[in-house]
DNA sequence: CTGAAAGCGCTTACAG
DNA sequence: CTGAAAGCGCTTACAG
């Protein structure tokens, strides 16, 4: 039988309370007592039953998710995943609050983080915008002992504990690899549509994409990046203009959101003129475009995985426990029309 | 506060034992009593704390995994994942036993399943071989009330409860799509190397691959499939012979295991003659080949996911509970050199 | 610095 | 058909 706290108490000749103290590194145990207990733990090969511990503790974790008010399918999906996590709160011993901020606005985000700080939650997750204000707000959260995780877009150099998102540099490289190979042998221009260069995830995708394209596919000419603020309407207009100006665009990398608008612009083109397209995030519109051949590949980050990972990490950090990095890595999914889930 | 069994007992005016009886659908409760309890459950919005229930039950699940003695990296990796699950047995309340069978041998597999049946485990997971003997053995397991899950390769038409593996037809289609596009514009022959047509997963991949290739890429000529029994040595020999006979092989789909041997044969070719290659399963050798450009894409099934899913499903079936199909779907991962984990 | 006792939310014999 | 009591493996005041 698996040894329990009772076994180790008996074996060490101490009470349950003392076992619990050394198990949880709580103070007030004589050195010699502690050693006896540790000896017993080692000898019996004790491993704590986490479920039972949680039951006894009855601890709940207060977490706040700060999400941008972006009107695109990915953010809406992310929000839904957070709502689902709220729904699981009972079973997971969490109390999750969601607050909104304007997108791409470092000032607004840092103000909101300060507001969140005031309720002293156990942890905060947010989609980062690059700005020194935000860096400073993170420092204040950490100072207050609050666990901090960035979600989807990171803020390296800040004191956040962890980033729950994909390797965006790798995503950009992957997109370039696919686009380049799908266009193999052809000459022409390649366009890129981003949300904003103020968010790290888009900047990193762009960098990765450009480096592979210029290195491995020098016959493709690269147009300046378009910033459409992840807004379908803006994207549609800008992309329509782009096609008017450059009739020889044969490849398009949509590295942000707002694909609905981009795809509308593409569909209004005669079929022969439509470029090969690599887009991000599997949504209703990219899925449909993949199915009917307008989009050739979709790189995806699983918002559900990201939210669940963020919560696991926040719990661990709130308890001062380490996280298993490999377990929390978020994969870049690649979808073609044939492996749609 | 979340309501507990105490709350619903009080509200319904019954004892804890009675609450437990209706909660778990156990017999011996008068209709009217049951209704009172159900009413209270509905009114208070009770949802059971599974962790506490498991703690109280102290139930453990005896599961047996039947694995083929295949000497390839994927099977070795799968085995390791099962071993890891054995390591988690304490926390997961499982007792997992692993038994070996010769590969591609329906007779041996069905004998082993009968042997397993004799110890009456709560559940069995196995890599299927298509054969009526195996079908019959599954029927006997089910008759004995044992939960049955196929792993990696399925046995549709049998009475297995569930298949923990990828959609292999979709995998074959995906491979054809990638290979066809990577070869766009070129003419030549495409070769396929399988393990054996006796296992469903390989047959389905082949079918999917052929259907897309013949439909969407008619300029590619398809060679007859090679069966290398997932054995690196056999594969190396057969593929070497193939290249000798057909100097114009420009594409290769390795849909089984034994990639080590296939890649050795390819590497001995002058660079200019090497085909575009799509292979299955991310192992040490396919990963290295992806990194140095010998392999162009790898389709992967995550053996860890499959094993954990199989265990979750076996538990649910052993308890007569339903499984959430969407949650147990195993994805087809696509890896290029740029998105390696 | 240490321990006895109660309790977390369930389930399980056992008695009636 | 129903209930009182003990127990699963931990943690937590409280007392000493």
């Amino acid at each position: 039988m698996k040894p329990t706290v009772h076994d180790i108490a008996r074996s060490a000749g101490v009470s349950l309370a003392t076992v619990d103290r050394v198990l949880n590194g709580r103070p007030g145990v004589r050195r010699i007592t502690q050693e006896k207990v540790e000896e017993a733990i080692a000898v019996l090969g004790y491993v704590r039953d986490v479920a039972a511990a949680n039951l006894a503790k009855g601890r709940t974790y207060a977490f706040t998710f700060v999400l941008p008010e972006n009107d695109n399918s990915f953010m809406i999906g992310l929000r839904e995943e957070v709502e689902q996590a709220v729904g699981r709160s009972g079973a997971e011993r969490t109390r999750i609050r969601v607050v909104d901020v304007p997108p791409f606005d470092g000032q607004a985000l840092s103000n909101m983080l300060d507001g969140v700080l005031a309720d002293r939650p156990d942890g905060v997750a947010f989609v980062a915008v690059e700005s020194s204000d935000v860096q400073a707000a993170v420092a204040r959260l950490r100072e207050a002992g609050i666990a901090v995780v960035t979600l989807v877009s990171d803020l390296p150099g800040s004191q956040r504990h962890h980033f729950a998102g994909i390797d965006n540099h790798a995503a950009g490289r992957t997109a370039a690899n696919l686009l380049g190979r799908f266009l193999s042998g052809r000459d022409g221009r390649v366009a890129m549509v981003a949300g904003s260069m103020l968010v790290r995830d888009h900047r990193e995708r762009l960098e990765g994409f450009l480096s592979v394209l210029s290195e491995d596919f020098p016959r493709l000419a690269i147009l300046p990046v378009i910033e459409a603020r992840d807004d379908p309407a803006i994207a549609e207009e800008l992309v329509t203009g782009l096609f008017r100006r450059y009739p020889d665009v044969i490849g398009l990398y949509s590295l942000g959101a707002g694909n609905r608008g981009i795809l509308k612009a593409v569909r209004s083109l005669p079929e022969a003129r439509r470029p090969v397209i690599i887009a991000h995030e599997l949504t209703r519109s990219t899925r449909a475009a993949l199915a009917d051949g307008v989009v050739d590949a979709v790189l995806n980050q699983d918002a559900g995985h990201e939210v669940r990972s963020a919560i696991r990490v926040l719990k661990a950090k709130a308890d001062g426990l380490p996280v298993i990095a490999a377990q929390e890595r978020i994969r870049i999914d690649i979808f073609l029309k044939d492996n749609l889930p």
Side-chain angles (χ1 to χ4, degrees), chain A:
Chain A
M1 283 307 319
K2 259 186 71 185
T4 71
V5 276
H6 290 96
D7 300 317
I8 99 128
R10 191 174 335 112
S11 162
V14 300
S15 74
L16 288 179
T18 297
V19 172
D20 188 70
R21 286 184 190 102
V22 353
L23 237 30
N24 292 287
R26 279 187 267 272
V29 184
R30 265 192 310 169
R31 177 66 165 277
I32 175 116
T33 315
Q34 169 167 348
E35 279 165 3
K36 276 193 302 185
V37 174
E38 278 164 353
E39 163 83 9
I41 290 175
V43 169
L44 300 187
Y46 170 81
V47 18
R48 157 214 278 84
D49 181 329
V50 186
N54 283 335
L55 175 59
K57 279 201 280 244
R59 184 204 205 304
T60 68
Y61 301 83
F63 295 146
T64 302
F65 277 70
V66 181
L67 302 179
E69 294 166 311
N70 255 327
D71 180 33
N72 63 61
S73 303
F74 177 73
M75 274 305 162
I76 293 168
L78 184 72
R79 204 169 276 269
E80 282 170 7
E81 292 293 344
V82 177
E83 292 306 333
Q84 289 198 18
V86 172
R88 294 190 303 268
S89 281
E92 295 186 345
R93 304 180 178 281
T94 51
R95 279 166 296 128
I96 294 173
R97 207 163 69 88
V98 180
V99 300
D100 301 321
V101 288
F104 309 124
D105 183 341
Q107 186 66 58
L109 177 57
S110 82
N111 288 343
M112 182 54 85
L113 291 176
D114 285 338
V116 167
L117 170 58
D119 342 308
R120 307 269 151 176
D122 298 302
V124 176
F126 69 99
V127 179
V129 176
E130 296 229 270
S131 121
S132 54
D133 291 334
V134 179
Q135 303 253 14
V138 170
R140 287 188 286 275
L141 288 166
R142 287 297 309 273
E143 191 131 352
I146 295 173
V148 179
V149 166
T150 48
L151 191 66
V152 179
S153 193
D154 194 14
L155 193 57
S158 75
Q159 292 180 50
R160 92 281 186 281
H161 282 101
H162 179 84
F163 168 51
I166 59 171
D167 177 343
N168 285 296
H169 208 270
R173 296 180 60 89
T174 303
N177 188 335
L178 285 174
L179 189 66
R181 301 206 60 160
F182 286 178
L183 289 173
S184 61
R186 298 173 58 189
D187 290 348
R189 294 183 203 270
V190 170
M192 296 162 304
V193 184
S196 160
M197 287 299 108
L198 287 177
V199 284
R200 183 100 188 174
D201 52 347
H202 292 193
R203 279 232 318 285
E204 288 179 346
R205 286 175 197 173
L206 183 68
E207 280 170 23
F209 184 79
L210 291 176
S211 75
V212 167
L213 215 62
S214 61
E215 222 169 278
D216 297 347
F217 304 96
R219 295 170 61 177
L220 297 173
I222 302 167
L223 290 169
V225 63
I226 292 175
E227 291 181 70
R229 301 188 66 75
D230 288 354
D231 184 303
I234 300 176
E236 183 182 355
E237 193 187 321
L238 293 177
V239 171
T240 301
L242 176 91
F243 287 139
R244 204 165 301 138
R245 228 167 319 134
Y246 301 103
D248 64 339
V249 167
I250 59 172
L252 174 67
Y253 178 33
S254 166
L255 58 88
N259 283 305
R260 225 180 315 149
I262 298 174
L263 295 173
K264 215 166 151 197
V266 172
R267 284 184 203 279
S268 75
L269 246 39
E271 282 205 30
R273 268 199 59 200
R274 292 182 191 164
V276 170
I277 299 181
I278 313 287
H280 271 266
E281 317 313 355
L282 193 64
T283 61
R284 208 150 52 88
S285 56
T286 56
R287 176 189 282 273
L290 212 41
D292 70 9
V294 169
V295 161
D296 298 85
V298 168
L299 306 191
N300 184 65
Q301 52 187 321
D302 190 311
H305 286 179
E306 291 175 330
V307 169
R308 290 188 289 273
S309 175
I311 292 171
R312 274 196 303 272
V313 171
L314 286 175
K315 276 185 176 176
K317 293 304 179 187
D319 288 338
L321 266 34
V323 312
I324 304 159
Q327 210 173 73
E328 304 302 343
R329 196 176 21 74
I330 309 294
R331 290 204 177 158
I332 300 166
D333 298 322
I334 303 177
F335 293 112
L336 308 181
K337 73 168 188 292
D338 301 297
N339 69 326
L340 282 173

